[in-house]
Amino acid sequence: MLLENDAFLTELTKLFTKGKTSGSVTMTMKRYDGRTKPKPQGGLLPEPSEYKCLVRATLGNRKISTVVNHKDVTKFQMAYGNLLKGSMDGLKKKDKKAARGRKKTKATQ
């Protein structure tokens, strides 16, 4: 579902809270040129004047996405960064003892 930037961030907040109890949220970002159809095989298309950024989030079967314009990237990145900082409180710490034991076994082989 394609959303506006602000609506995407509010829905992403809901996905993060739901993801704490069930599953994990997968995020992808990629360059987007605004084309919805694939490139023709033989034809050359002109390069777009400016690229956009396509941001997608997935939790289970729920998928949301937004397109960020070149002029709105800084504003979106700041809001997205604050959202990530607030939502990453449930991460598990790495077990250092187990990691140390694995390194020793690899070195002896």
Side-chain angles (χ1 to χ4, degrees), residues 27 49 80:
M27 298 286 305
S49 60
Y80 176 64

Side-chain angles (χ1 to χ4, degrees), residues 2-5 8 53-56 64-68 76:
L2 189 64
L3 302 170
E4 294 294 323
N5 294 342
F8 175 81
C53 182
L54 178 64
V55 183
R56 294 179 180 141
I64 58 174
S65 60
T66 188
V67 176
V68 183
F76 181 81

Side-chain angles (χ1 to χ4, degrees), residues 18-76:
K18 194 182 290 185
K20 288 182 182 179
T21 59
S22 63
S24 60
V25 178
T26 305
M27 298 286 305
T28 59
M29 297 176 99
K30 69 183 236 181
R31 187 172 78 171
Y32 180 64
D33 56 4
R35 217 178 7 243
T36 57
K37 295 182 180 179
K39 289 182 183 179
Q41 286 184 349
L44 294 175
L45 294 175
E47 290 293 319
S49 60
E50 82 179 24
Y51 286 100
K52 300 173 185 177
C53 182
L54 178 64
V55 183
R56 294 179 180 141
T58 310
L59 174 67
N61 291 335
R62 178 104 166 101
K63 298 176 183 178
I64 58 174
S65 60
T66 188
V67 176
V68 183
N69 290 322
H70 180 71
K71 61 181 179 174
D72 299 330
V73 168
T74 306
K75 180 182 137 188
F76 181 81

Side-chain angles (χ1 to χ4, degrees), residues 11 33 38 50 69 78 95 99 106:
E11 288 294 319
D33 56 4
E50 82 179 24
N69 290 322
M78 295 296 288
D95 188 15
K106 285 183 179 178

